[in-house]
């Protein structure tokens, strides 16, 4: 989204992207309490996370459980806090409900599926590219091709990148009482291209549409305390082995272009991690990244062919 300019007031270049990270505390401010040099931590950052050294206010920093790896920790905050707050704070997920999650193979989609399993008798319907179905079938009750919307769900959760057709179809399927919650889209204008979302109709049918931005909550609305409480509950679920971050692959900082292409091609299952200690891995001969003369990745919005899946670059 930042690379494509699909955010409000994008920062001027040059900039260092990235909103979450994990690592070891190297230095502390004079007034910082509760942390020591050498602590293993994960953190939210208002940009600048894709770096060897990161500085962030202490209210955005959390200690990592002893048995959580750094790559898992880097994949944990954004995905699971977003999924938790969408499900329990916005959509009020309860026993016996159904959830439809678009992009079920992505990081947030997998977090949603895992958190749904912590509530009794929740049915999870997921859409994903067909080549991902085998890998994620155990986390989702019913899987559908991402181009087909089919669910009589009570709660509708939409992940990044779904288009206006999904919004229209989801509202039609939504039963009275629940919520359509949406996190920031990879193509925000489609949200407002939905045909005839009538507030009076929402009132008459007891339906809700809600938006959610974790970054705005943290960095613009000052709700770090609320988020810390959510992180504490999530760490408790992790320690109980009820949730676990899904890491798709590890990449060196020099491989950002290839990592971005994997996301663009919808090839990932879970989170891609930039590892500052990793050395670049040579690409396979048939795994080159096609670029235009302007240096931008060639667009392919479908991404459903099995031959588009890239092998994880994990040593």
């Amino acid at each position: 989204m930042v690379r494509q300019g699909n955010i409000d007031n994008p920062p001027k270049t040059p900039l260092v992207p990235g909103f979450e990270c994990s690592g070891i505390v190297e230095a502390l401010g004079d007034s910082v309490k509760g942390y020591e040099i050498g602590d293993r931590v994960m953190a939210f950052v208002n940009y600048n996370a894709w770096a060897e050294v990161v500085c962030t206010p202490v209210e955005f920093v959390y200690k990592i459980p002893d048995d959580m790896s750094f790559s898992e920790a880097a994949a944990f905050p954004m995905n699971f806090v977003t999924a938790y707050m969408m499900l329990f704070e916005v959509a009020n997920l309860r026993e016996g409900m159904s959830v439809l999650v678009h992009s079920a193979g992505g990081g947030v989609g997998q977090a949603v599926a895992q958190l749904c399993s912590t509530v009794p008798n929740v049915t999870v319907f997921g859409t994903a590219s067909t080549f991902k179905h085998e890998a994620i079938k155990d986390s989702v009750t019913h899987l559908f091709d991402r181009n087909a919307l089919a669910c009589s769900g009570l709660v509708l959760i939409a992940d990044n990148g779904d288009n206006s057709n999904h919004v229209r179809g989801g509202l039609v399927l939504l039963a009275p009482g629940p919520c359509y919650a949406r996190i920031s889209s990879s193509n925000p204008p489609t949200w407002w291209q939905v045909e005839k979302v009538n507030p009076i109709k929402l009132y008459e049918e007891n339906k809700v549409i809600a938006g959610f931005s974790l970054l705005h909550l943290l960095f613009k609305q000052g709700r770090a305390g609320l988020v810390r409480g959510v992180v504490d509950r999530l760490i408790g679920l992790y320690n109980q082995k009820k949730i676990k971050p899904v890491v798709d692959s590890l990449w060196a900082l020099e491989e950002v272009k290839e990592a971005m292409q994997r996301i663009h091609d919808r090839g990932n299952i879970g989170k891609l991690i930039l590892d500052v200690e990793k050395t670049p891995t040579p690409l396979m001969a048939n795994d080159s990244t096609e670029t235009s003369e302007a240096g931008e990745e060639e667009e392919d919005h479908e991404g459903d062919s099995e031959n588009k899946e890239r092998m994880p670059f994990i040593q």
Side-chain angles (χ1 to χ4, degrees), residues 35-105:
Y35 294 90
E36 298 179 356
I37 293 175
D39 282 348
R40 302 169 69 250
V41 297
M42 53 189 169
F44 290 109
V45 189
N46 194 9
Y47 291 99
N48 299 312
W50 295 2
E52 293 176 333
V53 178
V54 174
C55 182
T56 192
V58 68
E59 58 260 39
F60 305 138
V61 180
Y62 317 94
K63 290 184 180 179
I64 300 174
D66 291 340
D67 57 348
M68 181 182 284
S69 68
F70 284 117
S71 58
E72 286 182 329
F76 190 81
M78 190 75 71
N79 287 349
F80 275 95
V81 172
T82 297
Y84 186 97
M85 298 195 75
M86 287 176 65
L87 285 171
F88 299 108
E89 302 287 342
V90 177
N92 193 24
L93 181 65
R94 301 183 303 280
E95 181 176 355
M97 282 186 166
S98 299
V99 174
L100 169 61
V101 54
H102 294 298
S103 301

Side-chain angles (χ1 to χ4, degrees), residues 49-277:
W50 295 2
E52 293 176 333
V53 178
V54 174
C55 182
T56 192
V58 68
E59 58 260 39
F60 305 138
V61 180
Y62 317 94
K63 290 184 180 179
I64 300 174
D66 291 340
D67 57 348
M68 181 182 284
S69 68
F70 284 117
S71 58
E72 286 182 329
F76 190 81
M78 190 75 71
N79 287 349
F80 275 95
V81 172
T82 297
Y84 186 97
M85 298 195 75
M86 287 176 65
L87 285 171
F88 299 108
E89 302 287 342
V90 177
N92 193 24
L93 181 65
R94 301 183 303 280
E95 181 176 355
M97 282 186 166
S98 299
V99 174
L100 169 61
V101 54
H102 294 298
S103 301
V108 175
Q110 283 294 287
V112 167
Q114 290 184 30
L115 288 170
C116 285
S117 70
T118 67
V119 180
N121 302 318
V122 170
T123 302
V124 180
F125 298 83
T127 68
S129 301
T130 53
F131 69 83
K132 298 183 182 182
H133 286 196
E134 181 65 25
I136 67 174
K137 65 180 182 180
D138 293 336
S139 63
V140 179
T141 315
H142 302 288
L143 268 171
F144 300 91
D145 180 82
R146 60 176 295 268
N147 294 310
L149 183 66
C151 173
S152 56
L154 295 176
V155 178
L156 180 58
I157 304 297
D159 195 8
N160 288 354
D162 59 309
N163 57 33
S164 55
N165 289 330
H166 285 168
V167 178
R168 285 193 295 268
L171 288 174
V172 170
L173 293 170
L174 200 61
C179 173
Y180 185 112
R182 182 181 179 86
I183 57 177
S184 303
S185 169
S186 58
N187 189 12
T190 62
W191 173 239
W192 302 113
Q193 293 168 4
V194 179
E195 182 181 358
K196 295 181 180 178
V197 176
N198 188 330
I200 299 299
K201 205 72 172 174
L202 294 176
Y203 157 75
E204 292 175 347
E205 297 179 356
N206 290 306
K207 295 181 179 179
V208 178
I209 297 177
F212 179 78
S213 168
L214 177 57
L215 296 178
H216 280 228
L217 198 70
L218 281 168
F219 302 127
K220 292 186 178 182
Q221 297 168 340
R223 303 304 300 275
L226 173 64
V227 173
R228 180 169 295 277
V230 171
V231 172
D232 289 342
R233 290 192 288 274
L234 288 168
I235 289 176
L237 291 173
Y238 177 86
N239 289 333
Q240 296 170 41
K241 303 190 183 304
K242 293 183 177 180
I243 61 173
K244 184 178 178 66
V246 177
V247 175
D248 174 80
S249 47
L250 305 181
W251 305 75
L253 287 177
E254 295 89 341
E255 298 172 323
V256 168
K257 175 182 173 182
E258 290 80 11
M260 278 283 185
Q261 187 66 42
R262 181 168 175 82
I263 298 173
H264 189 85
D265 291 343
R266 298 181 181 271
N268 59 297
I269 299 174
K271 197 84 163 184
L272 281 74
I273 302 297
L274 296 177
D275 185 345
V276 298
E277 295 184 345

